[in-house]
Amino acid sequence: MEILASRVLLRPVDYQRSLGFYRDALGLAVAREYPGGTVFYAGQSLIELAGHGAPPPGSPPFPGALGLQVRD
């Protein structure tokens, strides 16, 4: 399988704190921003922080998702 692109989706409990970590502490460049989210360049991949879509109270936390774009 040939991977053409990849994206990691994270929905942190504290979006603002996570945004500061990836943008300021790690210094990742912003690929794009949208209402409630930010996408960062991470080498050949993207890291997306989403401040929306949190699970209902009492549910387990969203573990994250990995998206792979492949040739076939």
Side-chain angles (χ1 to χ4, degrees):
M1 173 176 27
E2 183 180 358
I3 298 172
L4 303 175
S6 64
R7 176 178 285 200
V8 176
L9 172 62
L10 304 172
R11 289 190 179 124
V13 173
D14 188 339
Y15 173 78
Q16 291 299 325
R17 182 176 175 201
S18 296
L19 181 63
F21 173 73
Y22 286 97
R23 184 189 58 212
D24 304 328
L26 293 182
L28 296 182
V30 174
R32 69 182 186 93
E33 294 179 292
Y34 61 91
T38 304
V39 180
F40 294 97
Y41 290 112
Q44 297 296 322
S45 301
L46 297 170
I47 297 173
E48 180 174 352
L49 294 181
H52 57 82
S59 297
F62 178 75
L66 174 64
L68 300 175
Q69 179 185 6
V70 297
R71 188 166 301 286
D72 54 358

